[in-house]
Amino acid sequence: MATYDQGSGPCGWSVDVATATVSLDGIVTGWSEDARRLLGYRAPEVVGRAAADLLLDREAPEVAGLSFIGSREWSGAAALRHRDGHRVEVALRAHPSLGGNGRSQGFVVTITTGPAESAHDRRLVEQAFAQASIPLSTHSTASGLWHVNAAAKGCDQAAEDGGDHLPGTRTRTRTRTGTGAGTGTGNDRHEAAPASADEGFLRCVRRVAEEATPMRYECFAPEPSSSALTFARQRAWGVELWPVRDCDTGEVVGVGTAAFDSSDQHSARQRLALLQEAGTSIGTTLDVTRTAKELADLAVPRLADFVSVDLLDSVSHGEEPVPGPLDATVLLRRVAHQSATEGESVPEAAIDLGRVDAYPPFSPPARCLTSGQPVLSGSDDPDFARWIAGHEMRTARVEEFGFHSVMATALRARGITLGVAVFARSVGSPPFDQDDLLLAEELAGRAAVGVDNARRYTRERAYALTLQRSLLPSDLPKQAAVEVAYRYLPAGTGAGVGGDWFDVVPLSGTRVALVVGDVVGHGIQASAAMGRLRTAVRTLADVDLPPDELLTHLDDLVIHLTSHDDTADSRIRDDIGEIGATCLYAVYDPVSRICTLASAGHVPPVVLLPDGTASVVRLSPGPLLGVGGLPFESTELELPEGSLLAFCTDGLVETRDRDIGLGLDRLCESLTGPVSSLEATCDAVLKALLPDSPDDDVALLLARTRALHADQVAAWYLPSDPAIVADARAQASRQLAAWGLEGAAFVTELVVSELVTNAIRYGAVPIGMRLIRDRTLICEVSDASNTAPHLRRARTYDEGGRGLQMVAQLTQGWGTRQTTVGKTIWAEQALPAS
């Protein structure tokens, strides 16, 4: 006999164990040293006496049968008398000692102190293990045997029948009934590892045994009726594994497992994961059709075998849906559908994409739209059968693919019904349940928000495009200074219509102004702000201001528009003041072939010279419009005839993966390629620099310079002497005769006489006169005074004040412009018909 003190051991209590032998008639025949230490009696004092003499209460019912008659095992609790008289509570367990003939010759009695554990208690533990409602098993690290309870055996049988199974429940070797603790308890003892245990589970068992730490393992198995193509229910099991320690030594002697059915939690996690994915994969663009397709792609194959999305026809065009009668047939346009069938086609669809279908009021989609509540229907629904029977193609598809369960959920956002999504399951898939209906409703709700946002964006974008096209030049004005071509492309993504613009403004003296600008931002407000700036530029260009002065005035105007007062438009403040606006203004003179440019934070232009070299024009960059307090500087370029200027907005040269510098380099490269015309050059530039769907608006303006040669311009310097007026008229007449424009001599002489007289009378030297013959005849007189003339109404007896009125009446137009040394007054008239 041995005595073990396990007070600090894993079992948590102190245990003393002793042994003795007893004959069949209840006489003690053997006494161990551990029994002496336990009860105080020496062997001579006990051997030969009746075992019952050691009992304190001989009449106790649990030990009344301690006569050891028979050959069966016996166990029970008893109170023994110590040699010094005190009470010792023990647990007794008697094992028969068999002879060679198989008959009992006596008993070996085990005496155990500590918590009184009767055979009944031990059997209770064993039966609790065997009869537990959850699958339990133990694995012995020494023998490799697996012990499983009845619940685990049930899962094993289900696995053999083709159902789900648990790791550690299904074996590939024979099963035998154990003895001892396993006898009659329903526990099975297996000799080898489970045949169905996957490698992950076996690794967990080994790790728990080696590392002596608990672990958790999850396994999944589809239900027998579930289709692999659907978001079908799966049986999920969470298996807890823990090390089993020896109560004597504390060493790990096995691994215990307990499996819990976590199918509901697993299904909930799957649904949450699907909803989370819906939040990132539905509504990624502001496109109605794309959003509907994202819903169909997400739901197939995880939730349904086939999904269709139909919208009210007005919604697909960005309009507000018009409510119809509740009891009437609903007309819906198919915008997206998807199926679990591999390939690009959707053979299950009875309606082609883009087609309109009529849904009778009793059909599930129409009922869903009428009530606003999701509808769960199927082959057992008379209305479903009636709906299918009323459409020949739909009947054929249902029969071919075996559709038997349908869910219809309305697409509603902001209280507006936009359409309906229909989910269907075919043969081999389980029917939809209420959980599936809730999930479909949530997915449809998220898709509806995306569809509504796309619809509203489509409508607003259409309005903004209409406004923008009305503000941009529909046809560029005729002028002789440059040959122009242009392209404008609105953003192809959800950014919205921007505030890019361009313009070509004819100026006096055959000059031309080339303008490109950008109100940073998108939407109707950006377009409206762009329209204001373009109008302001045209107004200031008519004043004929130099580029730097024009931008200064434009900057002041933007500051005024964005000033925070009661009269300022808050939307203009938001779109210009807080974000910014840029502008590039250039003036080209075909007489001098000089181009003067000034920039307000805009992308610099690119120039392609006639020799084929292209480069970025180096400008002195100014601040964005609306900053105020900073100067703008002009840059002058002398360009050979035939030079090509390329003006653009940042949408052409800057993208997410390309900065402006690299974009300008690519613009230079694209301009140097062989092209046949400016129109072809525009197309080549856009093809080389832009993706299929640009992220921002793009404005491109190409201008090829022309030059007026010496035979088209005549210039004279005049002294400040009234007598020179007649000579000036004569020189103008001779020049017109040389050009063959004698028919214009009369008007030209009147203009020259008036303008030269005013310059001599009110101006300052030097005085110059210039005639320019191009598409029109232009007469210019300049002087060093900054005082500008103006029309006035002459009274009856006034001697002067009628000259400019005659000039205005006889010519197409007249005006004045400031120069670096004074002013120039010009008058323009049509060439004679001859």
Side-chain angles (χ1 to χ4, degrees), residues 56-79:
L56 278 178
D57 188 0
R58 298 182 64 174
E59 302 301 326
E62 64 269 22
V63 297
L66 195 60
S67 58
F68 302 105
I69 297 175
S71 60
R72 62 182 179 84
E73 288 187 5
W74 181 93
S75 63

Side-chain angles (χ1 to χ4, degrees), residues 696-712:
D696 195 5
D697 286 18
V698 174
L700 173 65
L701 177 64
L702 300 183
R704 179 175 285 125
T705 63
R706 294 171 176 167
L708 295 182
H709 301 286
D711 60 347
Q712 294 179 275

Side-chain angles (χ1 to χ4, degrees), residues 449-747:
V449 173
V451 169
D452 188 55
N453 289 338
R455 176 192 65 81
R456 297 170 65 188
Y457 164 75
T458 301
R459 181 183 60 183
E460 182 176 345
R461 187 172 187 269
Y463 293 162
L465 281 174
T466 302
L467 174 61
Q468 192 175 52
R469 290 192 181 104
S470 67
L471 295 174
L472 289 173
S474 58
D475 190 19
L476 296 180
K478 295 181 180 180
Q479 43 78 39
V482 292
E483 176 190 1
V484 296
Y486 62 90
R487 293 290 184 273
Y488 178 81
L489 296 178
T493 64
V497 177
D500 296 14
W501 93 90
F502 63 92
D503 209 346
V504 177
V505 184
L507 302 177
S508 63
T510 68
R511 296 170 306 128
V512 65
L514 305 170
V515 192
V516 180
D518 184 7
V519 174
V520 184
H522 299 88
I524 294 179
Q525 291 76 29
S527 298
M530 174 270 290
R532 289 195 176 194
L533 292 182
R534 178 173 177 264
T535 302
V537 169
R538 274 191 162 269
T539 302
L540 294 172
D542 286 341
V543 184
D544 235 332
L545 295 176
D548 54 343
E549 292 187 25
L550 183 142
L551 291 184
T552 299
H553 286 282
L554 190 63
D555 184 49
D556 293 338
L557 174 63
V558 172
I559 293 175
H560 173 71
L561 291 176
T562 58
S563 60
H564 295 275
D565 55 40
D566 295 337
T567 62
D569 190 328
S570 61
R571 292 182 175 181
I572 295 296
R573 288 199 301 268
D574 293 338
D575 289 309
I576 301 179
E578 295 183 5
I579 302 177
T582 66
C583 183
L584 176 65
Y585 186 81
V587 175
Y588 175 69
D589 186 347
V591 177
S592 63
R593 293 181 289 106
I594 291 178
C595 183
T596 307
L597 310 96
S599 172
H602 199 79
V603 179
V606 170
V607 59
L608 174 66
L609 299 178
D611 61 5
T613 60
S615 61
V616 180
V617 177
R618 296 184 178 276
L619 299 177
S620 298
L624 295 177
L625 295 175
V627 174
L630 297 175
F632 298 95
E633 298 183 19
S634 295
T635 301
E636 289 188 351
L637 296 176
E638 185 174 353
L639 300 175
E641 183 179 5
S643 298
L644 180 62
L645 287 167
F647 303 87
C648 66
T649 55
D650 58 357
L652 178 67
V653 294
E654 185 180 24
T655 61
R656 295 176 181 176
D657 55 353
R658 184 182 67 205
D659 60 20
I660 291 181
L662 180 60
L664 289 173
D665 292 340
R666 292 187 59 181
L667 176 58
C668 293
E669 295 174 2
S670 63
L671 290 175
T672 57
V675 291
S676 58
S677 64
L678 284 186
E679 296 292 335
T681 303
C682 285
D683 296 335
V685 169
L686 297 182
K687 182 178 180 181
L689 273 73
L690 290 182
D692 294 335
S693 181
D695 296 331
D696 195 5
D697 286 18
V698 174
L700 173 65
L701 177 64
L702 300 183
R704 179 175 285 125
T705 63
R706 294 171 176 167
L708 295 182
H709 301 286
D711 60 347
Q712 294 179 275
V713 180
W716 302 271
Y717 285 103
L718 305 176
S720 182
D721 184 357
I724 202 63
V725 175
D727 187 50
R729 288 197 302 267
Q731 293 185 47
S733 296
R734 288 192 294 270
Q735 186 61 54
L736 292 179
W739 285 340
L741 301 177
E742 291 88 350
F746 176 74
V747 174

Side-chain angles (χ1 to χ4, degrees), residues 132-154:
S133 60
I134 61 174
L136 299 174
S137 65
T138 59
H139 171 65
S140 172
T141 57
S143 64
L145 297 180
W146 286 84
H147 295 264
V148 297
N149 68 350
K153 286 177 61 182

Side-chain angles (χ1 to χ4, degrees), residues 227-482:
S227 169
L229 296 176
T230 62
F231 184 72
R233 293 175 294 275
Q234 284 184 320
R235 290 297 298 273
W237 296 89
V239 184
E240 299 288 343
L241 300 93
W242 65 91
V244 178
R245 300 177 183 272
D246 185 271
C247 291
D248 299 332
T249 64
E251 296 180 356
V252 176
V253 295
V255 176
T257 71
F260 303 91
D261 189 346
S262 58
S263 301
D264 292 340
Q265 294 87 338
H266 173 66
S267 178
R269 288 197 301 269
Q270 279 189 309
R271 296 174 190 277
L272 286 176
L274 188 63
L275 290 176
Q276 183 178 11
E277 186 177 350
T280 58
S281 60
I282 297 179
T284 59
T285 64
L286 290 174
D287 182 87
V288 172
T289 303
R290 177 69 178 273
T291 302
K293 187 176 186 304
E294 288 170 345
L295 169 61
D297 291 344
L298 180 67
V300 175
R302 283 177 287 183
L303 179 60
D305 295 311
F306 173 77
V307 172
S308 65
V309 181
D310 299 341
L311 299 179
L312 296 172
D313 200 32
S314 57
V315 174
S316 60
H317 296 92
E319 303 171 3
E320 288 282 350
V322 179
L326 299 180
D327 56 349
T329 298
V330 182
L331 298 179
L332 298 174
R333 185 177 297 277
R334 177 66 51 84
V335 294
H337 53 214
Q338 185 58 275
S339 74
T341 304
E342 295 183 358
E344 296 182 358
S345 63
V346 183
E348 296 91 337
I351 304 298
D352 295 332
L353 290 176
R355 298 289 299 273
V356 175
D357 191 22
Y359 291 87
F362 56 83
S363 64
R367 286 159 49 195
C368 169
L369 292 175
T370 301
S371 65
Q373 299 297 321
V375 173
L376 181 59
S377 182
S379 56
D380 56 348
D381 183 359
D383 286 339
F384 174 81
R386 182 183 172 193
W387 172 48
I388 298 302
H391 193 284
E392 181 179 356
M393 183 62 69
R394 189 170 283 116
T395 301
R397 293 293 183 263
V398 170
E399 292 178 353
E400 179 180 359
F401 296 98
F403 291 115
H404 60 87
S405 186
V406 169
M407 297 186 298
T409 59
L411 300 180
R412 290 179 57 84
R414 299 186 304 111
I416 300 175
T417 300
L418 307 171
V420 63
V422 178
F423 305 81
R425 282 185 177 174
S426 58
V427 62
S429 300
F432 291 114
D433 57 20
Q434 289 298 323
D435 289 339
D436 296 324
L437 191 64
L438 292 175
L439 178 60
E441 186 179 14
E442 183 66 25
L443 291 177
R446 299 196 179 196
V449 173
V451 169
D452 188 55
N453 289 338
R455 176 192 65 81
R456 297 170 65 188
Y457 164 75
T458 301
R459 181 183 60 183
E460 182 176 345
R461 187 172 187 269
Y463 293 162
L465 281 174
T466 302
L467 174 61
Q468 192 175 52
R469 290 192 181 104
S470 67
L471 295 174
L472 289 173
S474 58
D475 190 19
L476 296 180
K478 295 181 180 180
Q479 43 78 39
V482 292

